[in-house]
Amino acid sequence: GENVEQHPSTLSVQEGDSAVIKCTYSDSASNYFPWYKQELGKRPQLIIDIRSNVGEKKDQRIAVTLNKTAKHFSLHITETQPEDSAVYFCAAPISGNTPLVFGKGTRLSVIA
Amino acid sequence: DVKVTQSSRYLVKRTGEKVFLECVQDMDHENMFWYRQDPGLGLRLIYFSYDVKMKEKGDIPEGYSVSREKKERFSLILESASTNQTSMYLCASRKYSYTEAFFGQGTRLTVV
């Protein structure tokens, strides 16, 4: 089955700096790669996703890049703000199925 | 606005009790999931369902069962609660394998 590794587990950045979180996956048939943000005490919510037919997707300060050959994808947050502080999860689907396998999460702290 | 609603935000149960966690979605999604969230372990898949009456085991099904009698409702059952089942439980649903998964608000279960 799918295995998703996420690094780093914690990340601290100064406000205004960039943050990068990386994930690797094992199943070469995986075709959809979402990123979720979970604020303290709240449910995970999708912030950006990418399908396997594109290499990069941007949405304002957030971008995701995908390297299918190397089987890894990354979340990039530019011009970080204190409200970006949260736990971020990457995920990939079990091959051909709908359940998502999640990474263990990255706790991002943006220091003002 | 799409919604996934879990019946309880907090539950305290005694060891050996039978526990029911209920989840309802109003998006007409075929696919529903139960995850368990523990610090440092991310979200781990317990069970999922593609359709009414249908269920599949996830990564950690031991000690749990599920019921899907109606499309909108997916129940997680702890047949005999144990202290190692103290955790945050998250329900989710999604339409297709390449679309967003929506989460419920979570149920924090404490077994004493």
Side-chain angles (χ1 to χ4, degrees):
Chain A
E2 179 70 276
N3 184 41
V4 177
E5 299 283 340
Q6 182 173 347
H7 299 280
S9 57
T10 60
L11 180 60
S12 291
V13 298
Q14 293 289 329
E15 183 178 0
D17 287 351
S18 295
V20 180
I21 304 170
K22 298 182 179 181
C23 285
T24 60
Y25 61 98
S26 59
D27 189 342
S28 57
S30 291
N31 58 4
Y32 172 73
F33 306 93
W35 285 91
Y36 283 79
K37 176 182 180 182
Q38 187 178 29
E39 298 176 353
L40 189 63
K42 296 189 176 181
R43 71 191 78 191
Q45 291 194 300
L46 181 75
I47 54 171
I48 195 168
D49 56 11
I50 191 169
R51 295 181 68 175
S52 58
N53 56 347
V54 296
E56 184 175 5
K57 183 177 178 181
K58 288 184 179 180
D59 183 3
Q60 299 183 339
R61 298 186 296 108
I62 295 172
V64 55
T65 58
L66 172 64
N67 183 325
K68 285 213 71 179
T69 303
K71 291 191 285 187
H72 67 70
F73 56 111
S74 299
L75 177 71
H76 304 254
I77 306 174
T78 59
E79 301 173 17
T80 54
Q81 301 169 3
E83 53 264 38
D84 294 329
S85 296
V87 179
Y88 292 81
F89 294 98
C90 63
I94 298 171
S95 177
N97 292 310
T98 56
L100 290 169
V101 176
F102 286 84
K104 292 184 177 180
T106 297
R107 182 174 298 279
L108 174 64
S109 299
V110 180
I111 304 165
Chain B
D1 193 20
V2 297
K3 276 201 176 142
V4 180
T5 304
Q6 295 181 227
S7 54
S8 302
R9 193 80 169 96
Y10 300 95
L11 274 178
V12 180
K13 296 293 181 180
R14 296 198 177 275
T15 302
E17 277 193 81
K18 190 169 186 176
V19 182
F20 293 86
L21 303 183
E22 307 285 345
C23 175
V24 177
Q25 51 94 5
D26 64 0
M27 297 166 281
D28 199 37
H29 287 173
E30 286 77 13
N31 304 288
M32 297 188 73
F33 315 92
W34 276 104
Y35 289 91
R36 170 175 171 163
Q37 184 174 20
D38 299 289
L41 297 179
L43 283 71
R44 293 180 291 167
L45 183 66
I46 305 171
Y47 266 97
F48 59 100
S49 171
Y50 292 122
D51 204 347
V52 176
K53 304 282 188 184
M54 178 275 171
K55 60 185 179 183
E56 293 283 348
K57 293 180 179 179
D59 297 322
I60 53 166
E62 297 78 17
Y64 304 95
S65 62
V66 290
S67 174
R68 185 114 182 254
E69 295 296 320
K70 293 184 178 181
K71 188 176 185 179
E72 66 271 18
R73 187 180 297 272
F74 191 36
S75 302
L76 180 69
I77 304 158
L78 287 67
E79 296 290 342
S80 178
S82 63
T83 54
N84 63 10
Q85 292 178 309
T86 291
S87 187
M88 172 67 81
Y89 290 87
L90 287 163
C91 174
S93 73
R94 59 196 299 228
K95 186 72 173 175
Y96 302 116
S97 63
Y98 51 86
T99 57
E100 179 178 358
F102 294 89
F103 283 87
Q105 77 275 29
T107 296
R108 183 165 294 282
L109 173 67
T110 302
V111 182
V112 298

